Each structure stands twice: as C-alpha cells, then as structure tokens.
Amino acid sequence: MSGHKRAGTRPEGVLEDLDGAALSYAAQIADRPSAERHGLREDLVQLALPFAGRLARRYRGRGEPLEDLEQVARLGLVKAVDRYDPERGSFTAYAAVTITGEIKRHFRDRTWGVHVPRRLQDLTIEVSQATAVLTTELSRSPTVAELAARLDTSEEDILAALESAAGYTPASLNGPVGDDGPAELGDMFGALDADLESVDDRLTVSGLLYRLPARERRILAMRFYGNYTQSDIAAEFGISQMHVSRLLSRTLTWLRQAMLTDTPPRWESGGGQLDGQGLRLSVQRCGEYPGGWVVVAVGGEVDRDTADQLRDVVVDTVTAAQSADVIIDLEAVPFIDAAGIAALLASHEAARRSTTRLRVAKAQPYVRRSLTVAGLAPLLE
C-alpha cells in the first residue's frame, strides 16, 4: 500500500465528499512523482465510482443495458478527473456534466437504428422526459402544444422529435408477422427488380427495331431469341455465313449508335453490296422456258434501295413484251423485303393491264414464303 494519504476516503455507507477529495487530489499531485500521481488518480476515481453509477442509472430503461451505461459513465468520470481544474469550480458539477455528456453521446452514436440529426436526438430525449413529467402532473398524456410550451419550442419541432423517435429502435426484418405462421416482416417486402434499370433501354431498342428492314429484324430474332447459329441463318436466307456475320455486325453497330443519340441515324441498307455486288438485272429470251418467254434474271438482294430499279425493268419488259410472256428468275435473290414485294405487285398489275402473262421462277425458300404471304403465290412456279 502506498504511503500517501488516500484522497477523500469515507466509511462505507457514507456519501463521499467528492469536492473535498478532488481539491486534495489537485493539491497533492502538483509535486509528486508520476507513480504517486497515478495512485492518487486511481483513488479519486474509485471514490467517485458510486457517483458515476447513480448518473448511469438515471438512463436505464431506454433500450441500453445498465452495464453498458455504467461503463460509459466511468469513462466520463476518468475524463473529468484528468481534466479537472480547481479554479473553474466544483468537481462534482464538472464531473456530472462530463459523465452525462458521455452517456448522451453514447445514445446518439451507438443506439439509433437510423441516422437522425443530433439536435433531434437531444430533443427526443427531452420530449420523453417532459412527457413523463407532464403525464404525472396532468394524469393524462400531454398534447403536442403542452410539450412545446414546457420545452419552449415549436410544435413542428415536437412533431419531428416524436417521428424521429421511431428511428431509435427500428423493427427487425426477422420479427414475426402475427401470432400464427412462420412469416417474418422481411417477407412482406418486395425484392429489388434488377430488370427495372433496363426498362428504358428495352423500350428504346423496341422502337429502333421497327426502323430496321424485315430481314435484319428476323436475323436478330433468330440469332438472339431463337438461338440459331450463323450457319443456320445463312441456310435459311440462302446467303453465306460471312454475309450473316457482316449483317449482324452492321445491325448491332447501328443500334448502339442510335441508342446514344436523340435522332437515330438513317439506316443505309446497301442491298447486296455487302458481298461486293449491287442488284444485277438482265433481260433475255431463253429457250429454257417453253413458249418464248422473256426472262428477267435478278441477282442480289431486293430491298427499298433496289426495289425501284427492279420495278422499272420489269414494267418496261412487260410493256415491250407484246405477245411474249415474262418470267422473273429469282434464283440468285437471297432476300426480298416489303419494298421489293411492292415492286413485284406493281409489275403484276402492269402485266394484267397489258394482258401479258407474268411468272416468278426458282425463288429460294425464304423469298418464296415472303411472296406467298404477300398474296403472290399464283405467280410462283
């Protein structure tokens, strides 16, 4: 046991004289070595522990274990001892303010389930205390106006504090819902839908797809929705696999560019030029067909960029055919779109007016289906 006098020692059961003990402590540590000062500090802290405990017990019943509050109060007591200056007044008053501040800081920083401004946190505590006092005085729950008058603040602040109190102990998502069944509160909330973030992009793409030619739309659908390989698509359209690859690349590039602009760029079809060739047309009499047919041989893709050229050639041929009949050879046509079908319909009408017989021969499967759907099946051989 050290030789220095124990600061403020009192018999058990007698209230401690903290102010006297603190003054004695401050006077003794001035000229004492470090080891003795440490012992005197421990003596004062031990003497003041019951005082800190009483302050901690004032805040029990607010959702925090009493043991935690006592630990916080003891931390505040140590800080008060270390910072005590006799010239600034009573140690008891200073220690009470310091300990209470630590406890309130603990409630602000550690116990709130959601972030609430400190001003509202402090006001929430004051509202809780005032509610308890006024309930005792009035024998009923106080109104917002009465709380505002007691705390000398506005009713809006009182309402904000009462609302903020709900954030002190949020309901657990694992809490049961009702008395029966295993359902939990979290089960009542919907999950985040990741697809919602892509709704805008999906709507934009849907609108842009209608700007594409029918062939490009069908190729995209076959590739990305039907899981067709490029070879399968090439066989369907009667074109090369490399051609399909270039069509997909060009279509996807156009969609990406259109997605990034308010005004989508114009679609440049290019017809059969992807294979280094444009629409090829030749008119000749051919002995392959009986009866002296005039044959219009077509090569390449017939789309909106080349349909007018096909229509003009066929109509001129029909007009000049006189007694001969006309056959359109589509063996070398892998694709025809709505504009191309319209050109054939116009040619059919011209042939009907001139009493010239018009036929379509050697159409590839995809082209044949397109013409059949368009009502040109009678022309097909």
Side-chain angles (χ1 to χ4, degrees), residues 7-46:
T9 303
R10 290 288 183 271
E12 185 176 354
V14 180
L15 292 178
E16 61 277 4
D17 180 10
L18 293 183
D19 288 340
L23 289 173
S24 175
Y25 163 75
Q28 293 182 58
I29 64 171
D31 55 353
R32 296 295 179 91
S34 177
E36 292 188 16
R37 287 201 302 270
H38 181 72
L40 292 170
R41 174 176 175 270
E42 287 187 354
D43 289 343
L44 181 57
V45 169
Q46 288 291 331

mmCIF file of all heavy atoms in Angstrom, residues 7-46:
data_model
loop_
_atom_site.group_PDB
_atom_site.id
_atom_site.type_symbol
_atom_site.label_atom_id
_atom_site.label_comp_id
_atom_site.label_asym_id
_atom_site.label_seq_id
_atom_site.Cartn_x
_atom_site.Cartn_y
_atom_site.Cartn_z
ATOM 1 N N ALA A 7 -7.188 9.890 -0.922
ATOM 2 C CA ALA A 7 -7.960 11.123 -1.103
ATOM 3 C C ALA A 7 -9.435 10.868 -0.826
ATOM 4 O O ALA A 7 -10.055 9.998 -1.414
ATOM 5 C CB ALA A 7 -7.791 11.640 -2.531
ATOM 6 N N GLY A 8 -9.977 11.647 0.120
ATOM 7 C CA GLY A 8 -11.419 11.649 0.346
ATOM 8 C C GLY A 8 -11.989 10.331 0.811
ATOM 9 O O GLY A 8 -13.141 10.017 0.516
ATOM 10 N N THR A 9 -11.233 9.489 1.527
ATOM 11 C CA THR A 9 -11.731 8.188 1.955
ATOM 12 C C THR A 9 -12.849 8.381 2.968
ATOM 13 O O THR A 9 -12.743 9.191 3.882
ATOM 14 C CB THR A 9 -10.607 7.359 2.565
ATOM 15 O OG1 THR A 9 -9.573 7.232 1.605
ATOM 16 C CG2 THR A 9 -11.112 5.986 2.968
ATOM 17 N N ARG A 10 -13.938 7.626 2.797
ATOM 18 C CA ARG A 10 -15.073 7.727 3.702
ATOM 19 C C ARG A 10 -15.467 6.330 4.146
ATOM 20 O O ARG A 10 -15.310 5.357 3.395
ATOM 21 C CB ARG A 10 -16.290 8.387 3.020
ATOM 22 C CG ARG A 10 -16.076 9.879 2.761
ATOM 23 C CD ARG A 10 -16.119 10.688 4.060
ATOM 24 N NE ARG A 10 -15.986 12.091 3.795
ATOM 25 C CZ ARG A 10 -14.829 12.745 3.718
ATOM 26 N NH1 ARG A 10 -13.697 12.066 3.854
ATOM 27 N NH2 ARG A 10 -14.800 14.032 3.507
ATOM 28 N N PRO A 11 -16.018 6.197 5.376
ATOM 29 C CA PRO A 11 -16.513 4.886 5.817
ATOM 30 C C PRO A 11 -17.617 4.401 4.882
ATOM 31 O O PRO A 11 -18.321 5.194 4.265
ATOM 32 C CB PRO A 11 -17.057 5.158 7.227
ATOM 33 C CG PRO A 11 -16.385 6.422 7.660
ATOM 34 C CD PRO A 11 -16.165 7.228 6.441
ATOM 35 N N GLU A 12 -17.778 3.079 4.810
ATOM 36 C CA GLU A 12 -18.775 2.501 3.924
ATOM 37 C C GLU A 12 -20.165 2.947 4.352
ATOM 38 O O GLU A 12 -20.504 2.971 5.528
ATOM 39 C CB GLU A 12 -18.679 0.969 3.984
ATOM 40 C CG GLU A 12 -19.615 0.283 3.002
ATOM 41 C CD GLU A 12 -19.418 -1.214 3.041
ATOM 42 O OE1 GLU A 12 -18.494 -1.672 3.739
ATOM 43 O OE2 GLU A 12 -20.198 -1.914 2.371
ATOM 44 N N GLY A 13 -21.010 3.296 3.371
ATOM 45 C CA GLY A 13 -22.385 3.727 3.647
ATOM 46 C C GLY A 13 -22.507 5.217 3.797
ATOM 47 O O GLY A 13 -23.613 5.722 3.922
ATOM 48 N N VAL A 14 -21.407 5.967 3.840
ATOM 49 C CA VAL A 14 -21.441 7.425 3.970
ATOM 50 C C VAL A 14 -21.173 8.029 2.602
ATOM 51 O O VAL A 14 -20.270 7.571 1.880
ATOM 52 C CB VAL A 14 -20.396 7.914 4.992
ATOM 53 C CG1 VAL A 14 -20.449 9.441 5.100
ATOM 54 C CG2 VAL A 14 -20.655 7.264 6.343
ATOM 55 N N LEU A 15 -21.980 9.054 2.209
ATOM 56 C CA LEU A 15 -21.784 9.696 0.919
ATOM 57 C C LEU A 15 -20.404 10.321 0.841
ATOM 58 O O LEU A 15 -19.924 10.946 1.788
ATOM 59 C CB LEU A 15 -22.868 10.768 0.706
ATOM 60 C CG LEU A 15 -24.309 10.234 0.521
ATOM 61 C CD1 LEU A 15 -25.262 11.421 0.367
ATOM 62 C CD2 LEU A 15 -24.388 9.294 -0.660
ATOM 63 N N GLU A 16 -19.778 10.195 -0.308
ATOM 64 C CA GLU A 16 -18.422 10.677 -0.497
ATOM 65 C C GLU A 16 -18.412 12.187 -0.672
ATOM 66 O O GLU A 16 -19.322 12.759 -1.258
ATOM 67 C CB GLU A 16 -17.793 9.994 -1.726
ATOM 68 C CG GLU A 16 -18.523 10.253 -3.043
ATOM 69 C CD GLU A 16 -19.705 9.330 -3.249
ATOM 70 O OE1 GLU A 16 -20.013 8.542 -2.332
ATOM 71 O OE2 GLU A 16 -20.351 9.415 -4.308
ATOM 72 N N ASP A 17 -17.391 12.816 -0.125
ATOM 73 C CA ASP A 17 -17.186 14.260 -0.309
ATOM 74 C C ASP A 17 -16.281 14.423 -1.523
ATOM 75 O O ASP A 17 -15.058 14.557 -1.396
ATOM 76 C CB ASP A 17 -16.565 14.870 0.955
ATOM 77 C CG ASP A 17 -16.348 16.371 0.806
ATOM 78 O OD1 ASP A 17 -16.855 16.943 -0.193
ATOM 79 O OD2 ASP A 17 -15.645 16.946 1.650
ATOM 80 N N LEU A 18 -16.865 14.443 -2.723
ATOM 81 C CA LEU A 18 -16.071 14.463 -3.945
ATOM 82 C C LEU A 18 -15.354 15.789 -4.142
ATOM 83 O O LEU A 18 -14.213 15.818 -4.618
ATOM 84 C CB LEU A 18 -16.971 14.171 -5.159
ATOM 85 C CG LEU A 18 -17.569 12.756 -5.234
ATOM 86 C CD1 LEU A 18 -18.363 12.589 -6.511
ATOM 87 C CD2 LEU A 18 -16.451 11.710 -5.158
ATOM 88 N N ASP A 19 -16.004 16.885 -3.789
ATOM 89 C CA ASP A 19 -15.359 18.185 -3.983
ATOM 90 C C ASP A 19 -14.116 18.301 -3.103
ATOM 91 O O ASP A 19 -13.052 18.748 -3.550
ATOM 92 C CB ASP A 19 -16.342 19.316 -3.658
ATOM 93 C CG ASP A 19 -17.416 19.450 -4.732
ATOM 94 O OD1 ASP A 19 -17.182 18.947 -5.868
ATOM 95 O OD2 ASP A 19 -18.480 20.026 -4.458
ATOM 96 N N GLY A 20 -14.225 17.879 -1.826
ATOM 97 C CA GLY A 20 -13.073 17.940 -0.936
ATOM 98 C C GLY A 20 -11.977 17.004 -1.397
ATOM 99 O O GLY A 20 -10.781 17.351 -1.382
ATOM 100 N N ALA A 21 -12.348 15.790 -1.808
ATOM 101 C CA ALA A 21 -11.356 14.825 -2.280
ATOM 102 C C ALA A 21 -10.672 15.319 -3.543
ATOM 103 O O ALA A 21 -9.458 15.135 -3.726
ATOM 104 C CB ALA A 21 -12.023 13.484 -2.530
ATOM 105 N N ALA A 22 -11.431 15.978 -4.418
ATOM 106 C CA ALA A 22 -10.841 16.473 -5.655
ATOM 107 C C ALA A 22 -9.870 17.611 -5.379
ATOM 108 O O ALA A 22 -8.798 17.710 -6.001
ATOM 109 C CB ALA A 22 -11.948 16.934 -6.605
ATOM 110 N N LEU A 23 -10.211 18.512 -4.445
ATOM 111 C CA LEU A 23 -9.295 19.598 -4.091
ATOM 112 C C LEU A 23 -8.011 19.042 -3.487
ATOM 113 O O LEU A 23 -6.908 19.507 -3.793
ATOM 114 C CB LEU A 23 -9.988 20.553 -3.110
ATOM 115 C CG LEU A 23 -11.103 21.430 -3.694
ATOM 116 C CD1 LEU A 23 -11.827 22.196 -2.581
ATOM 117 C CD2 LEU A 23 -10.513 22.403 -4.721
ATOM 118 N N SER A 24 -8.153 18.027 -2.615
ATOM 119 C CA SER A 24 -6.979 17.398 -2.015
ATOM 120 C C SER A 24 -6.115 16.720 -3.076
ATOM 121 O O SER A 24 -4.888 16.818 -3.053
ATOM 122 C CB SER A 24 -7.425 16.379 -0.965
ATOM 123 O OG SER A 24 -6.309 15.671 -0.448
ATOM 124 N N TYR A 25 -6.770 16.073 -4.024
ATOM 125 C CA TYR A 25 -6.047 15.410 -5.116
ATOM 126 C C TYR A 25 -5.271 16.425 -5.953
ATOM 127 O O TYR A 25 -4.087 16.226 -6.267
ATOM 128 C CB TYR A 25 -7.055 14.652 -5.987
ATOM 129 C CG TYR A 25 -6.537 14.268 -7.353
ATOM 130 C CD1 TYR A 25 -5.641 13.210 -7.508
ATOM 131 C CD2 TYR A 25 -6.973 14.955 -8.498
ATOM 132 C CE1 TYR A 25 -5.183 12.851 -8.768
ATOM 133 C CE2 TYR A 25 -6.515 14.602 -9.747
ATOM 134 C CZ TYR A 25 -5.613 13.554 -9.887
ATOM 135 O OH TYR A 25 -5.146 13.215 -11.124
ATOM 136 N N ALA A 26 -5.941 17.545 -6.296
ATOM 137 C CA ALA A 26 -5.282 18.552 -7.119
ATOM 138 C C ALA A 26 -4.081 19.155 -6.403
ATOM 139 O O ALA A 26 -3.061 19.475 -7.026
ATOM 140 C CB ALA A 26 -6.286 19.638 -7.502
ATOM 141 N N ALA A 27 -4.200 19.311 -5.075
ATOM 142 C CA ALA A 27 -3.092 19.900 -4.316
ATOM 143 C C ALA A 27 -1.926 18.925 -4.193
ATOM 144 O O ALA A 27 -0.753 19.343 -4.194
ATOM 145 C CB ALA A 27 -3.587 20.322 -2.938
ATOM 146 N N GLN A 28 -2.184 17.627 -4.089
ATOM 147 C CA GLN A 28 -1.126 16.647 -3.842
ATOM 148 C C GLN A 28 -0.343 16.280 -5.108
ATOM 149 O O GLN A 28 0.843 15.941 -5.025
ATOM 150 C CB GLN A 28 -1.725 15.373 -3.238
ATOM 151 C CG GLN A 28 -2.290 15.568 -1.836
ATOM 152 C CD GLN A 28 -2.822 14.272 -1.260
ATOM 153 O OE1 GLN A 28 -2.092 13.285 -1.143
ATOM 154 N NE2 GLN A 28 -4.100 14.273 -0.908
ATOM 155 N N ILE A 29 -0.988 16.340 -6.284
ATOM 156 C CA ILE A 29 -0.297 15.847 -7.484
ATOM 157 C C ILE A 29 0.678 16.853 -8.053
ATOM 158 O O ILE A 29 1.458 16.523 -8.947
ATOM 159 C CB ILE A 29 -1.312 15.472 -8.582
ATOM 160 C CG1 ILE A 29 -2.099 16.713 -9.045
ATOM 161 C CG2 ILE A 29 -2.249 14.370 -8.117
ATOM 162 C CD1 ILE A 29 -2.952 16.453 -10.260
ATOM 163 N N ALA A 30 0.660 18.079 -7.516
ATOM 164 C CA ALA A 30 1.498 19.119 -8.106
ATOM 165 C C ALA A 30 2.976 18.771 -8.026
ATOM 166 O O ALA A 30 3.733 18.989 -8.968
ATOM 167 C CB ALA A 30 1.213 20.452 -7.420
ATOM 168 N N ASP A 31 3.442 18.255 -6.867
ATOM 169 C CA ASP A 31 4.871 17.999 -6.695
ATOM 170 C C ASP A 31 5.166 16.531 -6.445
ATOM 171 O O ASP A 31 6.182 16.191 -5.819
ATOM 172 C CB ASP A 31 5.404 18.846 -5.538
ATOM 173 C CG ASP A 31 4.623 18.605 -4.262
ATOM 174 O OD1 ASP A 31 3.598 17.874 -4.336
ATOM 175 O OD2 ASP A 31 5.016 19.141 -3.214
ATOM 176 N N ARG A 32 4.304 15.617 -6.912
ATOM 177 C CA ARG A 32 4.517 14.194 -6.706
ATOM 178 C C ARG A 32 5.088 13.553 -7.969
ATOM 179 O O ARG A 32 4.783 14.000 -9.096
ATOM 180 C CB ARG A 32 3.206 13.487 -6.348
ATOM 181 C CG ARG A 32 2.582 13.914 -5.033
ATOM 182 C CD ARG A 32 3.471 13.531 -3.831
ATOM 183 N NE ARG A 32 2.893 13.942 -2.581
ATOM 184 C CZ ARG A 32 2.092 13.186 -1.850
ATOM 185 N NH1 ARG A 32 1.779 11.968 -2.272
ATOM 186 N NH2 ARG A 32 1.606 13.637 -0.703
ATOM 187 N N PRO A 33 5.878 12.515 -7.815
ATOM 188 C CA PRO A 33 6.370 11.800 -8.994
ATOM 189 C C PRO A 33 5.226 11.106 -9.726
ATOM 190 O O PRO A 33 4.119 10.951 -9.207
ATOM 191 C CB PRO A 33 7.357 10.790 -8.422
ATOM 192 C CG PRO A 33 6.996 10.655 -6.986
ATOM 193 C CD PRO A 33 6.437 11.974 -6.561
ATOM 194 N N SER A 34 5.520 10.652 -10.939
ATOM 195 C CA SER A 34 4.484 10.087 -11.819
ATOM 196 C C SER A 34 3.773 8.896 -11.181
ATOM 197 O O SER A 34 2.543 8.779 -11.275
ATOM 198 C CB SER A 34 5.115 9.656 -13.146
ATOM 199 O OG SER A 34 4.171 9.047 -13.980
ATOM 200 N N ALA A 35 4.518 7.993 -10.531
ATOM 201 C CA ALA A 35 3.900 6.803 -9.950
ATOM 202 C C ALA A 35 2.911 7.175 -8.862
ATOM 203 O O ALA A 35 1.811 6.600 -8.772
ATOM 204 C CB ALA A 35 4.980 5.882 -9.394
ATOM 205 N N GLU A 36 3.252 8.154 -8.030
ATOM 206 C CA GLU A 36 2.343 8.557 -6.955
ATOM 207 C C GLU A 36 1.124 9.288 -7.515
ATOM 208 O O GLU A 36 0.010 9.134 -7.004
ATOM 209 C CB GLU A 36 3.082 9.427 -5.943
ATOM 210 C CG GLU A 36 4.137 8.675 -5.158
ATOM 211 C CD GLU A 36 4.703 9.526 -4.023
ATOM 212 O OE1 GLU A 36 4.066 10.546 -3.689
ATOM 213 O OE2 GLU A 36 5.771 9.162 -3.498
ATOM 214 N N ARG A 37 1.352 10.085 -8.549
ATOM 215 C CA ARG A 37 0.198 10.780 -9.151
ATOM 216 C C ARG A 37 -0.800 9.765 -9.712
ATOM 217 O O ARG A 37 -2.006 9.949 -9.606
ATOM 218 C CB ARG A 37 0.672 11.722 -10.267
ATOM 219 C CG ARG A 37 1.371 12.965 -9.757
ATOM 220 C CD ARG A 37 1.354 14.067 -10.803
ATOM 221 N NE ARG A 37 1.986 13.648 -12.059
ATOM 222 C CZ ARG A 37 3.282 13.803 -12.318
ATOM 223 N NH1 ARG A 37 4.087 14.363 -11.408
ATOM 224 N NH2 ARG A 37 3.774 13.416 -13.479
ATOM 225 N N HIS A 38 -0.277 8.715 -10.283
ATOM 226 C CA HIS A 38 -1.160 7.676 -10.834
ATOM 227 C C HIS A 38 -1.973 7.008 -9.719
ATOM 228 O O HIS A 38 -3.172 6.741 -9.886
ATOM 229 C CB HIS A 38 -0.326 6.630 -11.569
ATOM 230 C CG HIS A 38 -1.146 5.537 -12.188
ATOM 231 N ND1 HIS A 38 -1.943 5.732 -13.296
ATOM 232 C CD2 HIS A 38 -1.311 4.231 -11.825
ATOM 233 C CE1 HIS A 38 -2.552 4.609 -13.612
ATOM 234 N NE2 HIS A 38 -2.188 3.667 -12.727
ATOM 235 N N GLY A 39 -1.342 6.757 -8.586
ATOM 236 C CA GLY A 39 -2.065 6.155 -7.474
ATOM 237 C C GLY A 39 -3.136 7.071 -6.925
ATOM 238 O O GLY A 39 -4.244 6.626 -6.605
ATOM 239 N N LEU A 40 -2.822 8.368 -6.776
ATOM 240 C CA LEU A 40 -3.813 9.329 -6.305
ATOM 241 C C LEU A 40 -4.995 9.421 -7.264
ATOM 242 O O LEU A 40 -6.154 9.538 -6.843
ATOM 243 C CB LEU A 40 -3.153 10.701 -6.138
ATOM 244 C CG LEU A 40 -2.121 10.809 -5.009
ATOM 245 C CD1 LEU A 40 -1.365 12.122 -5.094
ATOM 246 C CD2 LEU A 40 -2.817 10.679 -3.648
ATOM 247 N N ARG A 41 -4.693 9.369 -8.581
ATOM 248 C CA ARG A 41 -5.769 9.418 -9.594
ATOM 249 C C ARG A 41 -6.695 8.210 -9.458
ATOM 250 O O ARG A 41 -7.933 8.354 -9.501
ATOM 251 C CB ARG A 41 -5.133 9.432 -10.986
ATOM 252 C CG ARG A 41 -6.109 9.348 -12.163
ATOM 253 C CD ARG A 41 -5.313 9.485 -13.458
ATOM 254 N NE ARG A 41 -6.127 9.296 -14.621
ATOM 255 C CZ ARG A 41 -6.351 8.118 -15.235
ATOM 256 N NH1 ARG A 41 -5.819 7.010 -14.711
ATOM 257 N NH2 ARG A 41 -7.095 8.052 -16.321
ATOM 258 N N GLU A 42 -6.108 7.026 -9.225
ATOM 259 C CA GLU A 42 -6.934 5.832 -9.056
ATOM 260 C C GLU A 42 -7.812 5.927 -7.810
ATOM 261 O O GLU A 42 -8.974 5.507 -7.814
ATOM 262 C CB GLU A 42 -6.045 4.594 -8.973
ATOM 263 C CG GLU A 42 -5.427 4.179 -10.293
ATOM 264 C CD GLU A 42 -4.700 2.845 -10.173
ATOM 265 O OE1 GLU A 42 -4.592 2.327 -9.031
ATOM 266 O OE2 GLU A 42 -4.242 2.338 -11.203
ATOM 267 N N ASP A 43 -7.254 6.507 -6.749
ATOM 268 C CA ASP A 43 -8.031 6.652 -5.508
ATOM 269 C C ASP A 43 -9.252 7.537 -5.728
ATOM 270 O O ASP A 43 -10.360 7.229 -5.262
ATOM 271 C CB ASP A 43 -7.155 7.241 -4.405
ATOM 272 C CG ASP A 43 -6.107 6.248 -3.925
ATOM 273 O OD1 ASP A 43 -6.268 5.036 -4.210
ATOM 274 O OD2 ASP A 43 -5.132 6.680 -3.279
ATOM 275 N N LEU A 44 -9.068 8.660 -6.441
ATOM 276 C CA LEU A 44 -10.183 9.578 -6.672
ATOM 277 C C LEU A 44 -11.238 8.931 -7.576
ATOM 278 O O LEU A 44 -12.448 9.075 -7.345
ATOM 279 C CB LEU A 44 -9.680 10.877 -7.283
ATOM 280 C CG LEU A 44 -10.746 11.947 -7.557
ATOM 281 C CD1 LEU A 44 -11.507 12.311 -6.278
ATOM 282 C CD2 LEU A 44 -10.120 13.196 -8.179
ATOM 283 N N VAL A 45 -10.779 8.209 -8.586
ATOM 284 C CA VAL A 45 -11.729 7.541 -9.482
ATOM 285 C C VAL A 45 -12.534 6.498 -8.711
ATOM 286 O O VAL A 45 -13.756 6.402 -8.860
ATOM 287 C CB VAL A 45 -10.985 6.898 -10.677
ATOM 288 C CG1 VAL A 45 -11.920 5.980 -11.464
ATOM 289 C CG2 VAL A 45 -10.405 7.975 -11.583
ATOM 290 N N GLN A 46 -11.848 5.704 -7.869
ATOM 291 C CA GLN A 46 -12.549 4.688 -7.092
ATOM 292 C C GLN A 46 -13.581 5.325 -6.165
ATOM 293 O O GLN A 46 -14.690 4.819 -5.980
ATOM 294 C CB GLN A 46 -11.545 3.878 -6.278
ATOM 295 C CG GLN A 46 -10.696 2.927 -7.114
ATOM 296 C CD GLN A 46 -11.515 1.778 -7.687
ATOM 297 O OE1 GLN A 46 -12.518 1.365 -7.098
ATOM 298 N NE2 GLN A 46 -11.092 1.284 -8.840
#
